[in-house]
Amino acid sequence: MATVQNERMDSKTSSDTDDIPEKGVSPASDKEAKDQDNYENLKYPEPWKFEKWFIGGYSQGRMIKFGSPKAMYRAINLFAGVAIMFFGYDQGVMSQVNLNPHYQELMAIAPIEGNSRNVAALGGIVSVYYGGTLIGALIAGSLADRMGRIKAVVFGCLWALLGAVLQASAYNITWMCFGRVICGVGVGAIDCVVPVWSAEVSSHSARGAFLAIEFFMNIGGLALAYWIEYFAYLDPNHEMAWRTPLALQTIFILVIGVGINFFPESPRWLMKMGREEEARNVLKATRDADVEYELRGIKKVVKYELETSGANHYVAMLFPKDKYSRQLRWRVVLAVWLQIMQQLVGIGVITVYAVDLFQDAGFEEQMSKLLAGFNNISYMFSVIFAVITLDRYGRRSTMVWGAAGMAVELLIAGILDKYAQIKGPNQRSFGAGVATLTFLYTATFGATWLTTPWLYPTEIFPLNVRAKGGAWSVVGWSIGNGIITMITPFLFQAISYGTLLLLFGLNIFCIPLVVLFYPETAGRSLEKMDTFFEHGGSWNVFKASHNIRNEGIDDWRWTKKMNSEDHKELEAGRRLSTAVRSPEEDEKDARMSWTKRPVYTLRRKGSNAGVM
């Protein structure tokens, strides 16, 4: 019998090296037979004693049946999209509520202009919501690991329902803030678990496209909230103009809370709880190919992670006492900081306060509202490009070029906005330029940075802490959003067009951080991610890739996505090419003229870095 240490190493490396079955051949080696015995003797965790007090959950008999795995896959995608659509709706619903005169008077925050106390109160009402999302994410991350992804989502829906009712019925600022926090708890729980759930039921080749489609619906929810409020505001009854959109949140919540009970549970969580047959049935319902190979890979990871279950706590993830816990802290930092960077690039400023931005650029209030609404529609359709970019070009390249594009757009928009605020014959032209670049900025963000920070944590965390990893991701999102929404009203009043120039600098700041510290996850199965963190030994992804190569691991190029040719090499038992420059590249470089050589060298280095 192998030692526990050898078993752990087998579980971490065999999926990358010697466990690729040949076509048509059933693996039956002595090693696999021994591993099978080890799997049978695993000590799975007992069901949580308080689980019975939580309503909902997965039932194999209740799970909806479809004629093909592809149909089931689409249904899961659509339903997860509805959940993310609610998240977008809830995030955008305050954009015009804040401008409603009846709401401002009822909350005792009128007038806004020139009153620092009221400006702070306005930002505070928006930002307290993110305190709730932070708390909800941490709670749901723990619950999802204890009693399953589906029950954790139902738990979040109950909180969100109570919060939505409180917001729609609020009569003072304390009441509203309380409702915002309660709703935030629910949304944080849903937002933490749904991306993890959808990633765990999807295949490694389509995770990016899967999530990108969901976030198309997310921005659809944001746009829907905006236009409902816009047309409601045309009604002379301004009270109903802000209460109705807040009350409509309940429709989303009821659909999500009831509907998710008819969908499959995460096969990875089921396997962790020892429910192998149910995990196999879920995989069969969502996969076209034979599921036994994927099931064996999940088993190996479950075996290793049950042996390291002592690190499955928030405190252990932040204050590690062993090598495995230090790897988890590494992942936590990457996930939290990526979400904070998503907010630093400025999307919260543009979407929540778009009307103020357009008014500062010289447009009248009604035109500013229309422009903000059409900007949301453009934003929604831009997410379609993420379906292409995430899986085809990889996460790193998508984020690097997205930040570069947004930086250029914000720089030009900031310069034009300075002159758009000066009365004169060219004011309208400068204002039109600001509006155009604002549309381009949100479209660029939607195609690049919107989905990646949500997809990435679902990929880098191991199974036993994946839900808690999603919770840490929402913590980062909550911190970033809370700070941005709180200070943005002050920024617009204090530095006006300088806000856009500040965001330009923050986009530039984010580029080297992505290049240096974030490994490429595209094209790799969830079970292979541990290779980087266990063997990398460095936060610098280039140095970590070098360390992994020196350990003799086949899949070592973590600056670049795994494409179909790479998978064929590994399946054939060959190691990925270790040459930084092949002889053919050296020969081509030698023949290159001195005028073309710098461009060629730059492209080659960019390709090696995974950004070209």
Side-chain angles (χ1 to χ4, degrees):
M1 182 69 66
T3 64
V4 171
Q5 183 178 0
N6 289 334
E7 289 168 5
R8 291 183 181 181
M9 289 302 296
D10 286 343
S11 72
K12 301 305 290 178
T13 60
S14 55
S15 63
D16 294 335
T17 56
D18 57 4
D19 193 44
I20 307 296
E22 297 180 10
K23 292 184 179 180
V25 178
S26 177
S29 66
D30 292 339
K31 176 180 178 298
E32 287 173 340
K34 186 180 293 186
D35 283 345
Q36 186 63 34
D37 291 338
N38 291 335
Y39 300 147
E40 296 298 330
N41 296 325
L42 282 178
K43 185 178 180 180
Y44 295 104
E46 294 292 329
W48 191 36
K49 60 182 178 180
F50 297 112
E51 183 178 340
K52 62 183 179 181
W53 298 104
F54 291 81
I55 65 173
Y58 168 71
S59 169
Q60 190 170 330
R62 188 171 57 233
M63 186 178 75
I64 53 177
K65 306 295 190 300
F66 290 92
S68 68
K70 187 172 292 186
M72 170 65 87
Y73 203 66
R74 289 171 178 166
I76 294 171
N77 200 350
L78 178 63
F79 183 82
V82 171
I84 301 296
M85 188 176 189
F86 163 64
F87 167 52
Y89 183 95
D90 204 62
Q91 195 178 8
V93 75
M94 293 300 292
S95 60
Q96 288 200 75
V97 168
N98 288 335
L99 303 176
N100 189 295
H102 180 275
Y103 169 82
Q104 292 178 356
E105 291 173 6
L106 198 63
M107 299 299 129
I109 58 173
I112 300 293
E113 190 70 29
N115 189 312
S116 58
R117 179 267 174 193
N118 291 344
V119 170
L122 179 67
I125 293 173
V126 176
S127 62
V128 293
Y129 167 83
Y130 298 105
T133 60
L134 188 152
I135 296 169
L138 292 174
I139 295 173
S142 180
L143 293 179
D145 283 334
R146 291 174 180 268
M147 60 186 190
R149 315 320 192 199
I150 289 177
K151 277 202 170 189
V153 171
V154 176
F155 164 82
C157 288
L158 294 176
W159 282 83
L161 183 63
L162 175 60
V165 171
L166 288 172
Q167 288 180 86
S169 59
Y171 272 92
N172 56 58
I173 190 170
T174 304
W175 189 336
M176 173 59 74
C177 287
F178 189 69
R180 293 281 293 164
V181 172
I182 295 295
C183 189
V185 171
V187 174
I190 297 169
D191 198 34
C192 157
V193 179
V194 167
V196 173
W197 173 70
S198 64
E200 289 183 337
V201 297
S202 63
S203 65
H204 69 83
S205 62
R207 287 191 307 265
F210 195 90
L211 199 66
I213 293 171
E214 293 172 14
F215 272 88
F216 170 80
M217 299 183 70
N218 168 258
I219 305 306
L222 188 148
L224 177 64
Y226 186 90
W227 285 106
I228 286 175
E229 291 180 314
Y230 177 83
F231 288 111
Y233 191 76
L234 299 179
D235 191 311
N237 188 343
H238 285 179
E239 180 175 8
M240 294 307 298
W242 69 267
R243 292 193 187 274
T244 301
L246 291 173
L248 289 177
Q249 296 174 90
T250 58
I251 297 176
F252 284 100
I253 298 166
L254 291 173
V255 170
I256 297 164
V258 175
I260 197 167
N261 296 284
F262 296 93
F263 282 90
E265 179 59 271
S266 159
R268 291 163 170 86
W269 182 83
L270 290 171
M271 181 63 74
K272 188 188 79 169
M273 302 303 294
R275 297 158 66 175
E276 179 176 344
E277 193 57 35
E278 291 178 274
R280 180 180 284 107
N281 290 335
V282 170
L283 288 175
K284 287 180 178 178
T286 56
R287 304 289 192 272
D288 286 317
D290 178 47
V291 302
E292 294 303 319
Y293 176 58
E294 183 174 357
L295 198 66
R296 286 198 303 274
I298 295 173
K299 276 185 181 180
K300 291 185 176 184
V301 174
V302 166
K303 179 179 182 297
Y304 173 78
E305 290 169 353
L306 286 175
E307 293 167 351
T308 57
S309 59
N312 188 8
H313 304 285
Y314 288 121
V315 175
M317 295 172 77
L318 277 187
F319 305 101
K321 295 182 179 180
D322 53 36
K323 180 181 177 182
Y324 181 72
S325 299
R326 285 194 292 274
Q327 294 169 15
L328 292 182
R329 182 175 62 181
W330 184 357
R331 304 177 210 222
V332 167
V333 172
L334 291 180
V336 170
W337 186 246
L338 187 59
Q339 285 284 8
I340 292 175
M341 285 196 295
Q342 188 196 46
Q343 300 310 312
L344 292 181
V345 299
I347 192 61
V349 176
I350 302 301
T351 54
V352 178
Y353 298 99
V355 176
D356 300 272
L357 175 62
F358 289 126
Q359 285 183 307
D360 280 350
F363 292 98
E364 295 179 355
E365 181 180 0
Q366 195 65 18
M367 178 57 71
S368 295
K369 290 181 177 180
L370 283 172
L371 286 172
F374 286 120
N375 185 45
N376 285 335
I377 294 175
S378 170
Y379 185 15
M380 177 180 69
F381 283 104
S382 71
V383 184
I384 295 175
F385 290 98
V387 177
I388 301 171
T389 59
L390 281 175
D391 287 323
R392 178 172 295 183
Y393 301 111
R395 314 332 182 203
R396 284 163 54 86
S397 180
T398 298
M399 289 191 288
V400 167
W401 289 108
M406 290 186 291
V408 172
E409 290 153 3
L410 288 166
L411 174 62
I412 300 173
I415 295 171
L416 293 178
D417 195 23
K418 175 183 178 180
Y419 295 102
Q421 296 177 27
I422 301 174
K423 299 291 184 181
N426 296 322
Q427 184 181 20
R428 182 176 292 272
S429 298
F430 288 123
V434 172
T436 300
L437 287 160
T438 301
F439 274 65
L440 287 174
Y441 165 82
T442 51
T444 304
F445 180 90
T448 56
W449 273 79
L450 172 66
T451 54
T452 312
W454 295 105
L455 174 63
Y456 205 82
T458 68
E459 298 179 314
I460 64 173
F461 282 99
L463 170 64
N464 65 324
V465 293
R466 190 165 293 146
K468 289 185 175 66
W472 282 117
S473 175
V474 177
V475 166
W477 175 82
S478 301
I479 293 171
N481 257 302
I483 294 173
I484 292 297
T485 53
M486 186 68 196
I487 67 174
T488 296
F490 289 103
L491 288 176
F492 274 124
Q493 288 202 13
I495 59 176
S496 187
Y497 68 88
T499 304
L500 299 179
L501 299 179
L502 173 63
L503 295 177
F504 154 74
L506 291 174
N507 274 269
I508 296 298
F509 168 74
C510 291
I511 293 175
L513 298 180
V514 172
V515 173
L516 290 175
F517 301 119
Y518 285 84
E520 182 56 71
T521 60
R524 293 177 168 93
S525 70
L526 297 178
E527 285 67 45
K528 286 188 176 182
M529 300 303 170
D530 290 343
T531 301
F532 176 83
F533 294 98
E534 182 170 347
H535 300 282
S538 173
W539 288 55
N540 184 319
V541 68
F542 295 94
K543 186 175 180 180
S545 296
H546 181 77
N547 293 341
I548 293 170
R549 183 182 66 182
N550 289 344
E551 290 197 23
I553 295 173
D554 294 345
D555 179 12
W556 63 272
R557 293 187 304 201
W558 287 84
T559 59
K560 303 181 70 172
K561 72 180 289 286
M562 282 279 286
N563 54 42
S564 57
E565 289 76 16
D566 294 329
H567 282 291
K568 289 177 182 177
E569 281 191 54
L570 294 179
E571 289 174 6
R574 295 193 300 270
R575 193 179 182 195
L576 294 180
S577 173
T578 60
V580 177
R581 297 194 345 156
S582 66
E584 292 79 8
E585 287 179 312
D586 285 332
E587 184 179 351
K588 184 175 181 180
D589 199 11
R591 293 197 310 265
M592 195 75 61
S593 67
W594 70 270
T595 55
K596 296 181 179 180
R597 187 175 298 165
V599 175
Y600 167 72
T601 303
L602 178 63
R603 289 184 59 186
R604 177 164 47 76
K605 289 184 178 295
S607 177
N608 289 335
V611 297
M612 295 185 73

